[in-house]
Amino acid sequence: MTFSLTAEEQNRVKLAALLGHKLDPIGHKDMALIIAISAVYGISLVAVIFMLWNKKYPPLKSKSPILMAFAYISCVFWFVGDLQINGHVHLYGTIMTDCRGIGVWMRVLLGVCTVSALIALRSYGLYRVFKKNRSYRGLGLYIPIFVYCGCTLVFGIVTQVLPKSVIIEYQPMLDVCYCPKPFRAALYGYIWATWVVIAALNWAIRSIKTSFNESLEMAISCIIVFAILTFSTVLVFVNPEYPLNQTLRLLATGMDHLGTNLVWWTIMGVPLFNCAFNRNKYLEFWAEKLRKDGLQHQYDIKSEYSGNCSQLSLESGFNMFFPFDNAPEHIVYLPNGELRPHSRKKRQSAQTANPCDPFDIPSLSPTTVNSPASNDPFLYYIPRTSCDFSF
């Protein structure tokens, strides 16, 4: 793969002119964009690895780290597809000539639609819990996403069985993939419908308390995505030959992937930064903010501070997505580090955290240490610490 103006590239420009097209050759600006976006994804990859390594940290776990990791992978698929569809690389003689496999399946179905489905699942889970008082588990949570994925799969199968001339095909003279207008309309209509539903879900959860910043984060995310969709829709219908124009293709790909990374960091940035640099104090602040926002009853949390933090009372097995389940035993942490039950409600059975539930979080504590005094592997123990709850 070369980004220099070779004799073959000059011939491609001349051939395009004979066919009535103005073609800007693939050059060093395309290479610079690929390097820049790849660097952004490289930084995000480090963040994803760090996020997964610390996925049990309560402020991170509340952001659905597994879903966000898959969303990152989907964005990478989208980026690879954009390199092909937007004309940043030479296709001839490579697997990139498979416009349907990469341009439709990788870019659209595994990329745009999958990341949209993951964000929709996260929003729908919050809607079920906060607005419908239902649990973050079971078929009720996943049926809408299964339906959407089924529709997406049907969409992909239809594109696979229809002739390439109707869907998308490789044009060897210009070395680009071309998508007819009817298929473009169906494709963008499907993506727009998806994000209208996501926006409606986020509007429904707009009253979520500020402890999770969900309404603000998702409002920013929707604004970014709708800006990208609006620009992209106008571009592909007003100037469908934009891959031949270097400025337009650079702008299209840059907006797509700087925007999607901005959405990812809008959701994950604050807890990631504090997990890395302000871990204990931010956890204390986060738990205290739950209480100040009036969520301690909904989530069955109690934090009691007396004197110099000689005792701290939290719920073992804290489960934010199941606020109405039987509360586990109330524990008081004494100055010498011993534990004793606080007679409130006896634990009926051993409870364990659900790794698939982003809000099934053990007791909120600044640090954890192993202790043989408990058989509960998900119980967090709080050693004697100073009482500095500043943030």
Side-chain angles (χ1 to χ4, degrees):
M1 183 179 297
T2 179
F3 294 92
S4 301
L5 187 60
T6 62
E8 290 81 2
E9 186 68 359
Q10 291 176 352
N11 290 334
R12 190 170 76 101
V13 173
K14 293 176 181 177
L15 182 58
L18 291 175
L19 296 174
H21 304 286
K22 183 182 182 302
L23 187 150
D24 293 334
I26 296 172
H28 291 96
K29 290 183 179 180
D30 294 281
M31 181 179 67
L33 177 77
I34 294 172
I35 293 173
I37 300 298
S38 298
V40 171
Y41 275 110
I43 295 171
S44 296
L45 176 60
V46 174
V48 169
I49 294 171
F50 179 80
M51 174 188 70
L52 293 176
W53 185 261
N54 294 276
K55 64 181 181 295
K56 292 183 180 180
Y57 181 60
L60 276 181
K61 191 175 183 184
S62 70
K63 300 297 183 183
S64 308
I66 302 300
L67 291 185
M68 296 306 294
F70 280 112
Y72 167 84
I73 295 172
S74 296
C75 290
V76 173
F77 285 147
W78 183 357
F79 178 52
V80 173
D82 267 359
L83 296 182
Q84 178 205 58
I85 296 299
N86 292 347
H88 295 291
V89 295
H90 296 289
L91 310 182
Y92 177 75
T94 70
I95 194 176
M96 301 292 270
T97 56
D98 184 5
C99 297
R100 188 152 48 184
I102 296 177
V104 176
W105 282 92
M106 180 175 285
R107 178 179 183 251
V108 178
L109 304 184
L110 294 177
V112 179
C113 291
T114 300
V115 72
S116 300
L118 292 170
I119 292 177
L121 175 60
R122 185 170 179 270
S123 298
Y124 181 63
L126 291 167
Y127 173 77
R128 277 177 59 86
V129 172
F130 283 90
K131 305 301 288 187
K132 296 297 184 179
N133 291 331
R134 296 175 182 171
S135 64
Y136 191 78
R137 62 175 64 165
L139 289 177
L141 172 65
Y142 295 105
I143 283 178
I145 302 303
F146 288 156
V147 171
Y148 177 78
C149 292
C151 293
T152 303
L153 181 61
V154 169
F155 188 92
I157 293 173
V158 170
T159 63
Q160 199 68 30
V161 299
L162 289 177
K164 292 182 179 180
S165 59
V166 176
I167 304 300
I168 188 171
E169 64 178 341
Y170 174 66
Q171 296 191 345
M173 291 186 178
L174 297 177
D175 196 29
V176 296
C177 293
Y178 175 73
C179 179
K181 188 174 182 178
F183 182 70
R184 272 180 276 144
L187 183 62
Y188 276 87
Y190 188 64
I191 296 172
W192 270 100
T194 300
W195 274 93
V196 167
V197 172
I198 294 174
L201 283 173
N202 291 320
W203 176 257
I205 61 173
R206 66 189 182 279
S207 59
I208 289 180
K209 296 292 185 176
T210 58
S211 301
F212 304 100
N213 292 320
E214 297 296 343
S215 57
L216 177 61
E217 290 171 358
M218 297 314 298
I220 294 173
S221 299
C222 285
I223 290 171
I224 294 171
V225 171
F226 280 119
I228 294 172
L229 272 178
T230 301
F231 175 80
S232 182
T233 304
V234 171
L235 182 62
V236 299
F237 285 100
V238 173
N239 190 353
E241 297 181 355
Y242 75 91
L244 307 181
N245 184 299
Q246 188 178 64
T247 300
L248 292 179
R249 66 179 180 246
L250 292 175
L251 189 58
T253 303
M255 282 192 64
D256 281 353
H257 298 284
L258 292 178
T260 52
N261 276 273
L262 182 58
V263 168
W264 197 92
W265 281 98
T266 297
I267 296 172
M268 299 304 305
V270 172
L272 277 173
F273 177 85
N274 284 285
C275 180
F277 302 108
N278 196 27
R279 187 182 184 95
N280 295 345
K281 288 186 178 180
Y282 182 71
L283 182 56
E284 296 165 357
F285 166 82
W286 190 79
E288 177 68 9
K289 202 147 192 304
L290 286 177
R291 188 188 66 79
K292 288 182 178 179
D293 285 343
L295 299 178
Q296 71 275 18
H297 298 298
Q298 183 175 0
Y299 300 121
D300 203 18
I301 303 171
K302 285 188 178 181
S303 296
E304 301 167 0
Y305 308 103
S306 62
N308 60 351
C309 277
S310 59
Q311 63 181 22
L312 173 60
S313 177
L314 291 170
E315 295 296 335
S316 170
F318 168 58
N319 185 340
M320 292 195 297
F321 259 176
F322 309 127
F324 306 108
D325 288 351
N326 289 334
E329 186 177 15
H330 201 208
I331 300 295
V332 172
Y333 297 84
L334 301 177
N336 60 4
E338 296 178 354
L339 304 173
R340 66 173 174 84
H342 188 68
S343 57
R344 176 172 175 264
K345 183 181 289 186
K346 289 296 181 181
R347 198 166 189 168
Q348 302 298 324
S349 61
Q351 296 188 7
T352 57
N354 178 5
C356 297
D357 183 351
F359 288 89
D360 189 359
I361 299 175
S363 55
L364 297 173
S365 59
T367 56
T368 64
V369 295
N370 294 323
S371 171
S374 173
N375 294 323
D376 185 353
F378 297 98
L379 179 62
Y380 282 18
Y381 297 95
I382 304 177
R384 273 296 281 120
T385 60
S386 62
C387 189
D388 181 9
F389 294 102
S390 60
F391 177 69

